[in-house]
Amino acid sequence: MPKLSGVAWRKSTRSGSNADCVEVAEVAQVIGVRDSKDPAGPVLAFDRRSWAVFVAALPALSES
């Protein structure tokens, strides 16, 4: 997994000032996901294809 220190993390613009968010960072072929309340904590890493499948499924999940 590529190093994720020093990368630009971002959270959804829909998060507003809510502290209960996840942040994502893109590095090479990896998407990193972390808890915004614990930036030094663990990071989940997804390959780009898996991340795209996950994001594409989100609208269907919100309808159930």
Side-chain angles (χ1 to χ4, degrees), residues 32-63:
V33 181
R34 71 180 184 184
D35 183 344
S36 64
K37 295 183 307 294
D38 188 12
V43 173
L44 297 173
F46 299 91
D47 62 73
R48 288 186 178 273
R49 185 179 185 298
S50 297
W51 182 252
V53 169
F54 170 72
V55 171
L58 290 176
L61 292 173
S62 67
E63 294 172 3

Side-chain angles (χ1 to χ4, degrees), residues 3 6-7 10 12 14-15 17-19 26-27 29 31-32 35-36 40 43 53 55-56 60-61 64:
K3 295 262 185 200
V7 299
R10 60 185 172 83
S12 170
R14 293 183 178 184
S15 298
S17 61
N18 188 346
E26 299 178 45
V27 179
Q29 295 301 313
I31 307 297
D35 183 344
S36 64
V43 173
V53 169
V55 171
L61 292 173
S64 32

